[in-house]
Amino acid sequence: MLSSKLLFFASLQLLVITIATTTSTTTSTTTYPNFQEFNVKVTTINALKTQKIDDDDEEAFKTHGDHGIKLKLFHRDKLHRNKNNFTDHRQRILARIRRDIRRVSSLTNRLNSRGDTNYQVQDFGSGVVSGMDQGSGEYFVRIGVGSPPRSQYVVIDSGSDIIWVQCRPCTVCYRQYDPVFDPAASASFTRVSCNSAVCDRLDNAGGCHSGKCGYEVMYGDGSYTKGTLALETLTFDQTVVKNVAIGCGHRNRGMFVGAAGLLGLGGGSMSFVGQLGGQSGGAFTYCLVSRGSGSDGSLEFGRGALPVGAAWVPLIRSPQAPSFYYVGLSGLGIGGTRIPISEDVFKLTESGDGGVVMDTGTAVTRLPTAAYEAFRDSFIAQTENLPRARRVSIFDTCYNLYGFLSVRVPTVSFYFTGGPILTLPANNFLIPVDEVGTFCFAFAPSPTGLSIIGNIQQEGIQISIDGAYGFLGFGPNVC
């Protein structure tokens, strides 16, 4: 398996560029190979389209031949009944940015605290809330919890490991879309004892209560989650996975978005992928569809789901942050020209500083300040013909495209270590922030040396994680 992947490397650059071309609204022409036509009007209409969520649970669960488990992915905007949703697009964007800032702060705080003796506890705690209060929680899947299964929306989070749901009795709980899970009504619910190996992984974060393993995580902003660890059955359409370790939260407080909990997809042993072990071969693939597109993405587990013809890049493991999926990034490009930035800016050091993380919970890609400024300035230099607009929150490069049907914009590329180049479609780096034609360059400077490739930049591109062999793949399919 490993040797077959290495054979891909000779053609990675061509493969990834082909992905980007087929994903974009309009492909670049032979006259301007380093530019593409950005369809302003269509993008604006799609971004503001009203969403409805499927009431039929069967539509949220899909099997995929012999490949194993396949689920629909929903963007959080589809939870239209949630009172926190805004009808005004600008307000939704600003709220999303505020969540994103908290998400990035959470990730960097986890790395900064890695030297503490309670690192595992902090990592677990950040995982409990990272997709919700401490993060964006942008994408959801529908799963069944317990026996018989109760359908619940849960956030997917590739940056954390824990799986958890709110549980009755719920002394303090936030409002969620589905009824709160009742463990007393599940025949398969078993609390984890304090002397179990699973409880030891949590470093007894919540202490021992009547012989049962508890967790208790507090946050500086006043949010928290408390509960017990349990083994439970999770159901995905006809696929039943027994004895999954999940957190059963009885006390939870924070700014949440209607989901029942979180499905951790990180690289650690406590994540759903880690707990599946040999059942999935440490592999899964996902497609994040564009916000407001009216369609759904997908999340699929198992080695059979890994596509043939993907462009693979090696994963980089960090002992200080085993949940994160790091990749090697060597540079950035605008309009087909590589920007003169030292590769060292993106390297993960032996001490665990820096590096580049692929993350589903972060929306906007963050880059070290020096790299971001060179990247942004190059984009501005090649878009001098476009009318500028005022900055919007963390976006300092915005354009007034009101009245335009389409505009010609330079390509934006990531150069990965080893040679592959991922060139993004324009929809993945120019996003509408209001109803009057303001579009912003969807990147921002990082508060630290950590780089994060966010879900806006991942949209429309099939992403595959092969944890067993240590590779991350792009394409070849589009969403």
Side-chain angles (χ1 to χ4, degrees), residues 98-117:
R98 288 193 293 270
R99 295 191 306 271
D100 214 46
I101 291 171
R102 287 195 294 270
R103 169 71 174 193
V104 172
S105 176
S106 172
L107 297 184
T108 55
N109 286 340
R110 285 168 61 184
L111 291 172
N112 291 337
S113 65
R114 63 183 179 271
D116 298 343
T117 56

Side-chain angles (χ1 to χ4, degrees), residues 198-213:
V198 176
C199 191
D200 289 341
R201 292 182 193 175
L202 304 180
D203 202 21
N204 292 321
C208 188
H209 305 284
S210 301
K212 305 304 179 184
C213 180

Side-chain angles (χ1 to χ4, degrees), residues 388-427:
R388 294 289 299 275
R390 293 181 179 179
R391 71 175 296 149
V392 176
S393 187
I394 61 172
F395 299 138
D396 61 13
T397 303
C398 299
Y399 299 87
N400 178 10
L401 302 183
Y402 178 77
F404 285 84
L405 294 179
S406 66
V407 295
R408 190 168 64 92
V409 296
T411 56
V412 169
S413 303
F414 293 127
Y415 292 75
F416 289 98
T417 303
I421 303 171
L422 176 62
T423 298
L424 300 177
N427 288 342

Side-chain angles (χ1 to χ4, degrees), residues 281-296:
F284 66 99
T285 182
Y286 62 88
C287 270
L288 307 179
V289 295
S290 299
R291 310 154 307 282
S293 66
S295 58
D296 302 309

Side-chain angles (χ1 to χ4, degrees), residues 43 149 326 357:
T43 303
Y326 287 92
V357 172

Side-chain angles (χ1 to χ4, degrees), residues 95-353:
R96 188 182 192 191
I97 292 173
R98 288 193 293 270
R99 295 191 306 271
D100 214 46
I101 291 171
R102 287 195 294 270
R103 169 71 174 193
V104 172
S105 176
S106 172
L107 297 184
T108 55
N109 286 340
R110 285 168 61 184
L111 291 172
N112 291 337
S113 65
R114 63 183 179 271
D116 298 343
T117 56
N118 290 329
Y119 170 73
Q120 285 182 298
V121 178
Q122 295 299 321
D123 185 40
F124 166 68
S126 295
V128 167
V129 180
S130 65
M132 308 292 284
D133 180 60
Q134 296 295 325
S136 300
E138 297 296 330
Y139 288 91
F140 301 79
V141 292
R142 194 98 164 121
I143 67 173
V145 181
S147 303
R150 269 71 176 184
S151 295
Q152 306 270 276
Y153 282 105
V154 290
V155 172
I156 67 161
D157 185 1
S158 66
S160 64
D161 292 339
I162 196 68
I163 306 160
W164 68 276
V165 294
Q166 294 197 114
C167 285
R168 292 181 179 177
C170 214
T171 308
V172 178
C173 280
Y174 61 88
R175 182 176 296 181
Q176 64 180 58
Y177 181 82
D178 299 297
V180 174
F181 177 70
D182 185 0
S186 173
S188 53
F189 184 88
T190 305
R191 286 185 170 83
V192 172
S193 65
C194 293
N195 59 3
S196 71
V198 176
C199 191
D200 289 341
R201 292 182 193 175
L202 304 180
D203 202 21
N204 292 321
C208 188
H209 305 284
S210 301
K212 305 304 179 184
C213 180
Y215 71 86
E216 178 177 335
V217 184
M218 306 294 293
Y219 298 92
D221 64 354
S223 63
Y224 59 81
T225 179
K226 304 178 184 180
T228 55
L229 198 67
L231 298 180
E232 186 54 288
T233 295
L234 302 183
T235 303
F236 307 82
D237 190 29
Q238 301 302 313
T239 302
V240 177
V241 185
K242 298 181 178 180
N243 296 321
V244 180
I246 69 170
C248 183
H250 299 293
R251 295 175 62 87
N252 311 276
R253 176 171 288 174
M255 297 174 61
F256 300 101
V257 294
L262 184 144
L263 185 68
L265 300 176
S269 62
M270 285 290 286
S271 77
F272 183 63
V273 181
Q275 292 192 55
L276 283 177
Q279 298 178 67
S280 71
F284 66 99
T285 182
Y286 62 88
C287 270
L288 307 179
V289 295
S290 299
R291 310 154 307 282
S293 66
S295 58
D296 302 309
S298 63
L299 171 65
E300 190 170 359
F301 298 96
R303 301 207 65 80
L306 296 179
V308 175
W312 297 95
V313 298
L315 285 170
I316 301 171
R317 296 296 189 185
S318 171
Q320 293 84 1
S323 299
F324 293 169
Y325 295 109
Y326 287 92
V327 292
L329 186 69
S330 60
L332 303 165
I334 297 292
T337 301
R338 187 162 175 167
I339 300 167
I341 302 172
S342 171
E343 188 173 346
D344 293 340
V345 172
F346 304 109
K347 281 188 175 178
L348 177 66
T349 67
E350 293 184 359
S351 62
D353 295 321

